[in-house]
Each structure stands twice: as C-alpha cells, then as structure tokens.
Amino acid sequence: MIRILQQDSRIVKSIFAIIIGLAVVTMVITLVPGIFDNTGSTSDGSVYATVREPGLLGRLGISSLPVKQADVTRLAQMQLQQQKLPPFLLPYMESRAAQSLVQHAMLKQAGDKLGLQVSDADLRRELQTGPFAAYLFPGGKFIGSDAYMNFIQTNFQLTVPEFEEEVKQDMEFNRLQALVAGGVTVPDNAVREQYKVQGTKVKFDYAVVSADDLKSQIKPTDADLQTFFKNNAKRYATAIPETRKIAYIAFDANNLPGGKPQVSDADLQAYYTAHQKDYEVKDQAKVRHILIAVPQGADAKTDAAAKAKAEDILKQIKAGGDFAKLAQANSDDPGSKGTGGELGMLSPGQTVPEFDKAAFSLQPGQTSDLIKTKFGYHILQVEERTKAHTRSLAEVKAEIAPLVEQQKIGATEQGFATSLANDALKIGMERAAAARGLHVTTTDYVAKDGVIAGVADGAALLTGAFGAAKGAAPTSVSTGDGFAVFQVQDVKVAHAPSFDEYKTHLVADYQEQKLPELLQEKLGKLDDRAKVLNDLRKAAAELNVPVKTSELVGRDGQVPDVGAMSGPASVAFTMQKTMISGPVNLGRVGVVMTLLDKQEPSAEEIAKNFELTKDQMLGEQQKEVFEVFVGNLATQYEKAKAVRYLKKPATPGPLGM
C-alpha cells in the first residue's frame, strides 16, 4: 500500500509499447544501413539521440523527439536479463535498444503528422473495454484509484500519468498500423487451403539410424589415426594447454605475529565518526488509514457521496468506534483493508503531500479530519512517532565491531603479505617463510583452471601466476581466508601432444569426423533397399535398424527421435499412403519413413477454424506491409539526416548483437 501513496516522481519513461503492445515497434529491429552515421557530441550524456521530422519543421527543431540515454540503458539491461546474456554485451544491446527507440520516435512523429493522436476520452474507453478491463474494471466496476496505482506500479513500474501516456502511444501506433495495412485482404479460398495444409495429420513408420549406434562401427587403425593427426596438425597445435609450476606461502589471521589484531574503543569511535551518517534515523510515523475512493474524473455527485460516507465513518471513530473494524468494513484500499488500515512505518516524502502533511503533524493516538487526495477521502490515525535522530555508538557497537575487526585483520594481513613478499625477493621464498614459521608449497604443473591446495580460493593466485613471468618477483594475492605470496617456478607452454599420449582423443575425434558420412551412407542404403523391396520394415530388418510407429500427428507435433514435425520431417505431409521417403538427416539421427495414414481436415473443421486462420494470415500479411512502411520511413529519415546521434552506437560484433 505504501507504493500506492507514493508521490509521482520523474521516472524516465520506459517504452511501454514494447512491454504491453502488439509488437508494433519490434517488427523491424534493424534500421536502414547508414542511418547511424550522423554522430555529434553532448556535454552531459543524458540524450543518446534526437529524432526530428524530415522537412522544414524538423530542421528548425520544432518537431523533434529525444531518445534518452537512460531509456536506452534500461531497455538494454532488460533485454540482457530476458535473454540471460553476460553483462559485457551491454554496449551491443544498447545499440539494438537505441534502434528500437529511434523507430518508436519515428512512428510517433508519423502518427502525429497524420492526426492519429489519442484523446483522454479515447483512453478511458480503452481502459474500460480493452485488454486491461478485466483487471481495472472487473464486472464493469472500477477497482479504485489506490488499487489502480498499485496495479500499474507493481506490473510496469510507472506512475499513473506515465502509464496512461504510454497506453495512448500504443493506441496511436495501432491506429497507424491499421491505416497503413488496413486495406490488406485474404481471399477465402486461400484461407481454406492454408488450414487444409495446417490441419493435415499423418501417421508413419520410421526406421531410425543413430549416429551413436554407428560410432562403434568406426574402428580406425593406427595408420588411419597417424594420417588424421598429421592432416589436423593445426587443430592440435595447442591441444595440451599451458601449465605452470608455482611456489607459494599461504597464511591467514592465525599466522599473524601476535595473532588476530584486537579492536579498541578508539577504533570503534573512529569508525562511528567516519560513518555517522549511516546511523541517522529519519522522522517516522506508524499510520493506519481508511480510504473512500473517488474515481478520476468523477462528477460532483459521486464526489459528494464519497465525502458523506467518509464523514459518517469519521463521526463513528470520534464517538469511540473501532478504527480497525471500520477500516475492514469500509476502506477501498485493498492493500491495507484486511489489516485494519495498517500501513506500517512511513518516512517524510514517502506519500502524496496531503497524506504526508497529516501523518507528520499528528501525535500518537490522534485521528485526522478528512484528507482529500487524488485518490479520494482518507481518515488517518497515527499510532507511533519516531523523531529523527542519530543512533548512538552504544546502540550500534555490536554492528560495528565485526566490520572494524575485519578491516583491521585485512589491513594487517596485507601489510604482513607485503613484508613477506619483499623479504622473499631479497633472501628467497624458503628463508622468508621459515623466518615467520611458515612453509613453501610448490605445485605440480597446474593449468589456469586448476586447483591450488591449501587455500580457500585459488582463483586470484592462478590468475596472477598466469600473468607473471617465470622467476618474476614474488607477489601477494588474497586467498579468501587470508593471503598468499607466490612465485612462478617454471612454465610449460601450450603445445601439441605426441601421437601416443593423445591417441584416445584422436580415436574419438576421428569417429566424430566420420560419423556424418557414415550416417548418410547407412541412410542411403536403407532407403535404396526399402524401395527395392517396397517394404521399409523388411529393409530395416535386413540392415538391423529399429523401426518405430508415430501417433497421428500434425505439423505442430513432436515425434520421438524425429523431433518437431515442422523441421525436415515435414516431408511426411507431402507424401501419399505407402510412399517411402528419401533419407531424412536430423543431425545425430536419421530416418526413412513410410506413410501409413494421412487425414486432411474435414469441411466442418475448416469452417470451425476459418476465422482464426484468416486472422493469422491477415496478421502476417499486415505485418509484412507494415515492415515495408517502417523500412521506407527509416529511409526517409536517413536521406534527410533526421537522426542525430549524440553518442556513437556500438557496432554489433560476431555474436550478432
């Protein structure tokens, strides 16, 4: 409920059409090549690009829209999370996000130019009858302003004005799409033929040739492997990775001279003084309320009725009525109604101004008069008040002590490690360690992803060791529970293995290389023999290949070993009964099929699915038409140099970002 009462803040608008729209903006992700070439500079970096309308008004700067850097970054981060991509790809995702937002601006300008803007009345009708009606007007009744705000903030992280503005833009884009592609039609006979294709189902026998089963048949001789090894010399040039022998001295706080450093009162006081702001407590009030909602845009009669109801409840409270019970019975705030109006502890500025003023002017136990906000009429009661203050050192000592201790330990360990490394450079690792009651551990040759025994986390040690030269000065690194001083003793560079030491790997690699050829050969033999015998099962039995039978399946179905019927196996839908397919190579598996049954949809099924199929076909064709429109629009902006980038977009790399 606290979110419902929060003030409207200047949240940078996210692109709501991408979140809730009908994919208007995302139809064409990549703009016409060359449109990124107009690059300038900016002093504060707040604007990524400006999009002006081609023509005089745009050149004069009258019709121009900014694409904000904050919007670009937010959208890129959202796409990174959705696609589960690593953070280092953010620059490339920003480039794609910028393209989408630039398109958004172009389409907005095109819609405005055609007079397709959405009025407040249009918006109200959309919210009452569109896709949000079930949430905002269940049973035709408005859920109330507080619940409306909560719904928006929870699902879209927007304020009410931002949400409504983005719905308007989404409606304008839909109008633009309807205007551009509204004349597209699909002939009825094409719809029927399309569903006839979509609705056809098949049942078939299929003989399965598995690469894994064939692998054991590939038995190369040593001569075969020698030739393979020679021909793939580049492939194996660094097959044996670089390894290093590392000498290190590990220690933790227990090895420090004098043991772990002790924390004094002076240490605690110094930390507290330096971080005193962290222990400031704001003025707070524990509040409960009753809301009698007034819908936005309500007439005077509705407002008066709500006010009268609130006044009656206030009279009951002042006469000794139970606030919590009255809230449960009457409040229109679903977030707090069930708990007797409880909102918990609030801080100044956390709620809308009228509510905020009352909450921090009342004393514990006091009840407000009626408070009017944009949500309706509130009755507020303060239960507790906490004045702003700074928690004393005595109050926070238990929190501070472990932090200070860890800081002291870390600093002491770092100093000890530096001293140890300096001595190791002067007198050697062994003598430096012995002088401190420690010992040197020397690893065997270890790879970069290996394990360092005796330390909690050897990652930093390995990274440091593989970045240091052989015999370089001893260096200290953290090991998670302490430090280590290390020195690289020897390096074995990455190199090609000998034939004998890599023979097992060579067998597996040779088999994998030969498998596709063998799979295709086996499928060809099976197909040829099946057609000679005119019987797939007999041919499969001769070649010792298992045969399976599918269920009656459509194009959207899945078949074991075959996979999706929309893939290469879709050839089954073009076959006639008893017909034997050619070899169908599915990668690690191949099949030969013979059709047992084929059922086309009946006239009744076609009629039943006619409208849905027509809508799908119409949508696809409208999308194609609109894509052409967006492409042409982007070309116009490119020719007019109407997109000015104030930050050079990242160039998509080999990953297709």
Side-chain angles (χ1 to χ4, degrees), residues 268-284:
L268 296 176
Q269 181 64 58
Y271 183 93
Y272 176 76
T273 301
H275 298 83
Q276 200 161 352
K277 285 188 176 181
D278 296 343
Y279 304 107
E280 292 178 354
V281 178
K282 294 181 179 180
D283 195 5
Q284 292 183 311

Side-chain angles (χ1 to χ4, degrees), residues 237 478 593:
S478 173
M593 303 179 288

